Every structure is written in structure tokens, then in C-alpha cells.
Amino acid sequence: MIKINKGKRFQQAVDAVEEFLRRAKGKDQTSSHSSADDKNRRNSSEERSRPNSGDEKRKLSLSEGKVKKNMGEGKKRVSSGSSERGSKSPLKRAQEQSPRKRGRPPKDEKDLTIPESSTVKGMMAGPMAAFKWQPTVSEPVKDADPHFHHFLLSQTEKPAVCYQAITKKLKICEEETGSTSIQAADSTAVNGSITPTDKKIGFLGLGLMGSGIVSNLLKMGHTVTVWNRTAEKCDLFIQEGARLGRTPAEVVSTCDITFACVSDPKAAKDLVLGPSGVLQGIRPGKCYVDMSTVDADTVTELAQVIVSRGGRFLEAPVSGNQQLSNDGMLVILAAGDRGLYEDCSSCFQAMGKTSFFLGEVGNAAKMMLIVNMVQGSFMATIAEGLTLAQVTGQSQQTLLDILNQGQLASIFLDQKCQNILQGNFKPDFYLKYIQKDLRLAIALGDAVNHPTPMAAAANEVYKRAKALDQSDNDMSAVYRAYIH
């Protein structure tokens, strides 16, 4: 019964477990014989453990035969076993029939080892065989980041070639491509044990993403000065311990590293080049980190003017939404000044679960647009599927249940579908911003003469949703473009 509707590997695993329980039960029953038979039993088990013995060959053959049985035969075997030995599970029977006392090892523990049957060999020869991780001397397994293995498994085509600890809670992974990843071994979502930098931090822009970032920086003990175009948004963070900057120029001039997170290329340029802007506060040694999602040309222009004044520049757009920002679980894509990237390590750990260094300025902007292009196109497809289900008389909830049991299952899919089913489009990622990112991604494709037909089609749907006054709703409100 437990194997029904399960995959082949699951069925093979169940067969292997049942085979082990059968062997263990036989050993336990044998161990209850008189001590006069112990010597003969040990000799017999040693004979059976020899790889070339006839008994072992027969057992291996039996194990291989079990793997080849179909699901129906497996169920028949379980039913047959139940009729012979009662309704109790094999594990329960093995425990009750064993004369062993709790806490005491069996007399012949070595005899209870699982034989390396074809089932086990087959499982190890599958996808798991591709994942091999050799830790270095400086990075023992016991100190590994709980999220670190996920990153390694996602990089199987170009495996990491070295690992180097920067601090006790910080690890850098340099790949063959030259990109680097700072892993937040103790991000705020794990246990919050981060040693804050002693540098003064500034932050410009307290929107959906910026608010969560600043909150986590303060929570982790950073000294933060904030500024926002709408000054009232600063009040809550002042109460949490932040300092208030009257202008972007003042924040930059009084802080060592200033972060900025604004809505689009125009806002990013105005923040730097406008009256009392960032550029007026830049002097040699001052650091500026732009976390806005903009195009590569914009971020390159900003980098040039900052560096021309003796400043240091890093682009660091973030992948995520308001909830991930609040939880300190963003993914940060950085490019530019490598030294500044490392100086931001405690800040990145506070605001995100992982950060990547992608090389020269412009690379992070391009990668971020590609990521959001995929996300935006997927959201449009989800909305299209739900509306098609509705007009053809199918249950939208059932469609979601089916998707959640398949390969597309994800938190993103479930949350956005729930938004649509409940008619709740409170912004977690503004629709107008995902449409902006699609537009910029299409322009990126145009610049290199690369087709982006899926993104172009999705962009048209989002433009329709904007025409229906959905700009300030969540991106999932693109659904409404299909029902009007």
C-alpha cells in the first residue's frame, strides 16, 4: 500500500528495506537459540558473508528479483506475509520477536549489515552519483552553511574549484567562470548571529525592498543613516535606532558605505546626479552601492561618475520580493569593485541568504533583468492557465493542486495562484516594476540581436493590465488582463 502511486526508485527502496527487515528478523530469531548453538550460528553466518559463497549468491539473486517485481506483485507479497504472520507490521514483529534488551547491541552486529544488492548499486548510480563534494582543510563539513549544499547542487556544470573562509561566518566560492558567491552561513532567517561591520552605513530609498533591508541591517547591529524622498517613511526606522539624513549628499558624506534601492533608471540617475544628490557627497574613499534593478548602460554611467570623483562603486540588485526582504533571504547579484563587495559582507549576510560577484560593472544588471524576465513570463503563463481553466469549466483550485504535485511546484507558484483565487493583489512585487524589467530585458535582447518572443508576449499582457489600473497591485494582478 505504501508503494502505490510512487516512483520506481521509491518502490526499490521499500523492497530493500523489507529485505533488510527480513534478514534482521531471521538473525534475531536465531540469536534466541541456546548458547550451545552460538558457535555454529556464527560459523554459519561467516560462511554466508563470504562473497563467493552459494548462499550469498542466492540472496543477491533474490534481492535483484525483488527489484524487478511490479507494484502488484509487491502488494501481493505484503498481503501474503500478513496472512502468515498476522496484521502487525514487519518492523513491529521484528521488535517484539527480538530477545535483545533496549540499549544493548546484538551479539553479532556485523552480521546485520545490509548487503550491497543491485538495488543499492542502482540507486547510487543514478542522479546522486553526480554530486561529489570534497571539503578543503580550512572548511570542515561540520561548519558548512546549511544553504551551501543547495548552491553546489545548482552548479553541477561548472563546479566550484576552491573554497576560502573570509570570516568565521562568511565563505567565498570562486568558480571557473570567475564569479564569486558569499554564503550567509548565519543569515537573519537562520539564527541572526552576524558580526556587523564597524563602518557607517547609509541607505537611500525605503520602498518595499528597501524597508526590509534596512530593518535587517538595524536588527543585526549596523549603524545606519536613512533617507527617503517621502520623509515620513523614515520615522519608523528612526524609532528602531537609525539616524536621519536630510539629503542623499549628506548621507554619503557622513557614511562609509551608502546603499540605494530605487524604482527605475530615471530614479537611479536623479538620485545621483540631481540637486543635493549622491555625487555631491562623493569624495575619495567614499563607497556607493546601487541595489536598483536598472539596465547596464545606466549602471555603467553611474559607476563612471562616482569613480571620477574618487569614489568606489558596486552594483548589487536583489532578487526576491517584500516577504524575502523582510526575512533577510534575498539573493544579491553584485558586480564592480571587488574589494567593496567584500567590505559589504556583513551587510549582505544581514539582508540575504546568498550573494554572487559577477565581475565588471553591468554584468549584475544584465543577469538581474534575465532573472526577472523569466519570472515575469512565468507569472503571465500562470494567469493564462488559470483563466483558460475557468472559461473551459475546469476548477482553478484543482489546477493549482495538480501543479503543486508536479515538477512546477514552488512557493512562487502557490503564493501567486492563491492571490488570484482569493482576489487579493496586495503588492509583494509591483506589477509596474515587473513590466519595466520585461521592457528592459527585451531591449537587452535587441542590443545583441537576440530574440525574446516569450518576454515580448508577456510584456504586452502586463501593458494591458497597466491600462486596467493594475500598476500598483501585485504582479499576479496580470490575471485581470485576461478576464476583461
Side-chain angles (χ1 to χ4, degrees), residues 279 297-310 313 361:
L279 193 59
D297 290 341
T298 295
V299 76
T300 299
E301 179 183 347
L302 296 180
Q304 289 173 347
V305 296
I306 295 294
V307 174
S308 69
R309 295 288 183 91
F313 182 85
V361 170

Side-chain angles (χ1 to χ4, degrees), residues 16-246:
V17 170
E18 290 177 346
E19 174 67 11
F20 171 69
L21 291 174
R22 187 186 65 78
R23 291 174 180 271
K25 175 177 175 294
K27 298 294 182 181
D28 290 339
Q29 288 178 334
T30 304
S31 65
S32 64
H33 293 169
S34 64
S35 59
D37 296 330
D38 283 348
K39 183 176 181 180
N40 291 333
R41 182 182 60 78
R42 286 195 295 270
N43 291 338
S44 176
S45 65
E46 290 174 358
E47 286 293 326
R48 289 195 300 271
S49 66
R50 294 175 185 172
N52 296 325
S53 69
D55 288 343
E56 182 64 16
K57 291 180 180 179
R58 285 193 296 273
K59 290 178 180 179
L60 288 175
S61 176
L62 175 61
S63 177
E64 292 173 358
K66 283 180 176 293
V67 173
K68 296 178 182 178
K69 287 185 178 181
N70 58 29
M71 188 185 306
E73 291 172 339
K75 293 172 65 177
K76 183 177 180 180
R77 185 182 67 253
V78 173
S79 299
S80 175
S82 298
S83 63
E84 293 175 4
R85 297 184 295 272
S87 59
K88 295 182 180 179
S89 68
L91 181 59
K92 185 73 173 179
R93 288 194 301 272
Q95 291 173 341
E96 291 180 352
Q97 293 173 3
S98 173
R100 202 187 317 157
K101 294 182 179 179
R102 180 174 298 179
R104 293 180 58 190
K107 295 181 179 180
D108 290 298
E109 190 68 32
K110 65 180 181 179
D111 290 340
L112 297 181
T113 57
I114 306 175
E116 189 178 4
S117 66
S118 61
T119 300
V120 178
K121 291 180 179 178
M123 293 175 68
M124 293 306 296
M128 289 302 294
F131 302 129
K132 298 178 180 179
W133 175 44
Q134 296 294 333
T136 63
V137 175
S138 63
E139 185 171 86
V141 176
K142 66 180 181 179
D143 292 332
D145 172 15
H147 298 293
F148 196 49
H149 297 287
H150 298 291
F151 169 72
L152 291 178
L153 297 185
S154 69
Q155 303 294 319
T156 54
E157 291 183 0
K158 293 183 179 179
V161 295
C162 69
Y163 302 87
Q164 176 185 6
I166 293 182
T167 66
K168 184 177 181 181
K169 299 299 181 182
L170 178 66
K171 303 186 176 61
I172 278 192
C173 165
E174 294 190 343
E175 298 179 336
E176 293 174 356
T177 58
S179 68
T180 304
S181 172
I182 289 184
Q183 302 297 326
D186 291 293
S187 68
T188 54
V190 181
N191 59 28
S193 56
I194 295 172
T195 302
T197 179
D198 57 359
K199 298 181 182 297
K200 295 179 180 178
I201 304 300
F203 204 95
L204 312 175
L206 299 174
L208 289 182
M209 306 298 283
S211 294
I213 291 172
V214 171
S215 179
N216 282 315
L217 288 173
L218 291 170
K219 190 183 302 180
M220 294 300 105
H222 294 84
T223 301
V224 185
T225 300
V226 297
W227 174 89
N228 191 70
R229 185 173 55 183
T230 306
E232 291 76 14
K233 287 189 176 181
C234 297
D235 294 343
L236 176 62
F237 301 100
I238 301 302
Q239 296 173 12
E240 293 181 5
R243 301 172 183 177
L244 178 64
R246 292 175 296 179

Side-chain angles (χ1 to χ4, degrees), residues 318-331:
V318 294
S319 177
N321 54 27
Q322 183 182 29
Q323 186 60 52
L324 293 176
S325 176
N326 293 340
D327 294 342
M329 293 296 285
L330 295 170
V331 176

Side-chain angles (χ1 to χ4, degrees), residues 258-300:
T258 300
F259 294 86
C261 187
V262 292
S263 58
D264 55 35
K266 183 181 183 304
K269 288 182 180 180
D270 290 345
L271 187 62
V272 175
L273 305 174
S276 300
V278 169
L279 193 59
Q280 295 185 20
I282 291 291
R283 60 177 184 267
K286 291 295 181 179
C287 302
Y288 186 63
V289 182
D290 195 337
M291 308 190 78
S292 313
T293 300
V294 298
D295 58 287
D297 290 341
T298 295
V299 76
T300 299

